[in-house]
Amino acid sequence: MNTAPNVKIIPAKQITPENQHLYHQLRVAAYCRVSTELEEQQNSYEVQIAYYTNLIQQKKEWTLVGIFADKGISGTSAEKRKEFKRMIRMCEQRKIDLILCKSASRFARNTEDSIHYIRKLKSLGIGVIFEKENLNTLAENSELMLTLYGTFAQAESESISKNVTLGIQMGYRQGKVRYRYKHWLGYRKGADGQPEIIPEDAETVKLIFKLFLDGYSVKDIALQMIQKKRRNAVGIPEWNSNTIRRILSNEKYVGDALLQKTYTIDCLSHKSVKNNGERPMYLVSDCHPAIIDRETFQLAQQEMARRNSKRKISDRTITERGKYSSKYALTELMLCGECGTPYRRVTWNVHGKKRIVWRCISRLDHGNRYCKNSPSIHEEPLHRAIVNAINTYYDCQEDIKKILKKNVDIVLHQTEHDEISAIEKRLSEIDKARTDMIGLIVGGTFGEDALDAEFRKLFDEEQQLCAKLTTLKAQNQNLKNTENDMVELEEKIDTAEFSMKEFDNVLVRKLLECVRVVDQNHIQVIFKGGYEICAVLE
């Protein structure tokens, strides 16, 4: 005979946020946060700690686990809030049963973060009581209310962030520069609050620029700084290539400041990215004392751009970009007289003996397919021939000066001042003609449609002239730079007492434009300024 099973129902414990304390004494923690280090907020911070300590200790059903407090930290991200993260870890270890917090905005100003951590704590059976909102996260329907409060707090943070950003940009427009001295070699904050040069560190900066323009690579410069025990920005003799590059490209060393090089994407991630034109930048000139003169700085930027723009010259190179080599000056200067391809330094092993030779890269990669007769040049006689050519160069100072003066005259006569003046005059005429036509339209003499074709014609001519004017001015500036280089070289020759004993990579880079291989026994040494010497290899 089938009988119904005997089932006895055991009632569930009705544990609610209100009666939770009846089952065991609650381990309670409090979380406090202030977002700035201002005095009034510091007072609030201390008051919150005292308040929660007193509140928890007064209740017999509660026992104090700890007060977790972050000060001077934004609530838009949990990543930088060390005390908040420590509190969450203790919750995961089941050392906390309940958390007290002043308001939802104190807990987090990021809706996603707020909901994530509240859900996580709720899954562990841990509630958060927000006093201002009178809300316990273990209660039913609490998540909807918290989402709303969290959204309001996030919107408030975004509004504050936008206002702060606008304030900073207004300061940029007014030329207000905020200096950070911690990682800025060569300067410290002066008595007047403005940057002040540190003489010893300024010498280090000058040495870095000098070595770079002498042809040393950034890696070699970093090694030299370590060997010379030069201090970096934080006062220790540790250097790397990136540090050298940052110094060489920092406009502050010429007394300028480029503002808003980076910007923050949003107030939640706080991620800072490089400004590649997405935001305006502001250049403030001569806003503090300079360590490097503008000419030296510009030469360094040009040299950096030249090295970075090198392209591969061998089919065996994997990447399209070539690599600058500071070790051997001739890698950049020596060219094949037949095909124009650079020469490369190669080590031969003949009967167990190593010999250094220079060979045309085209011959190395393709045999005699494209370059039929380029010779291999042994390094020792090559160096001797170049040293002899340099000494001959200094022995013939009067002839060299005549050539240089002739070149300077050519440069001076090549300037396009007349053409530039003619273009600027025509642009003024176009501007006047446009103004006259606008006057006719306003006066009712002609309709706008009647003169539309004339406006378009003037606009097209103006665009063409402006483009040509920009090109001519750039050419004119290059000619002036060339003129200055020639005059400077002439002055050096006048005062030079020189005799070169052995091959020097730095000096070769400074003096030579290129070395062209003529044949097995001859090279053509071309100096900066145009002077040429045919040297014999022996």
Side-chain angles (χ1 to χ4, degrees), residues 71-215:
K71 56 181 178 179
I73 301 294
S74 169
T76 53
S77 173
E79 287 304 311
K80 295 184 180 179
R81 293 192 281 162
K82 294 181 180 179
E83 284 294 285
F84 182 85
K85 294 175 75 174
R86 186 167 73 89
M87 180 182 71
I88 297 297
R89 284 197 300 272
M90 288 186 66
C91 289
E92 292 171 340
Q93 295 164 4
R94 304 301 177 98
K95 294 180 179 179
I96 297 173
D97 298 317
L98 183 66
I99 297 171
L100 304 180
C101 191
K102 182 179 177 182
S103 68
S105 64
R106 295 295 91 192
F107 191 77
R109 282 182 176 269
N110 182 327
T111 306
E112 185 180 351
D113 270 3
S114 179
I115 296 300
H116 167 74
Y117 284 108
I118 285 169
R119 284 178 176 172
K120 185 173 187 176
L121 294 172
K122 194 173 183 178
S123 70
L124 296 170
I126 301 169
V128 183
I129 294 177
F130 298 110
E131 291 188 293
K132 183 178 177 181
E133 292 82 7
N134 191 24
L135 189 64
N136 188 322
T137 59
L138 293 180
E140 293 183 6
N141 301 321
S142 63
E143 189 167 310
L144 173 61
M145 297 302 297
L146 282 170
T147 302
L148 292 173
Y149 287 128
T151 302
F152 294 150
Q154 179 174 321
E156 184 183 0
S157 284
E158 289 171 349
S159 177
I160 292 170
S161 175
K162 185 177 181 180
N163 291 337
V164 169
T165 301
L166 288 173
I168 292 172
Q169 288 187 343
M170 288 178 67
Y172 287 160
R173 291 191 185 97
Q174 295 169 6
K176 293 181 180 178
V177 183
R178 295 186 297 173
Y179 295 100
R180 295 181 176 88
Y181 298 93
K182 185 176 180 181
H183 300 289
W184 188 19
L185 179 66
Y187 291 90
R188 62 189 167 211
K189 189 175 183 179
D192 59 352
Q194 294 301 306
E196 177 181 275
I197 293 176
I198 305 172
E200 183 181 351
D201 290 349
E203 290 303 315
T204 300
V205 174
K206 291 177 181 177
L207 179 59
I208 288 170
F209 275 84
K210 179 182 180 300
L211 292 173
F212 184 72
L213 292 176
D214 281 349

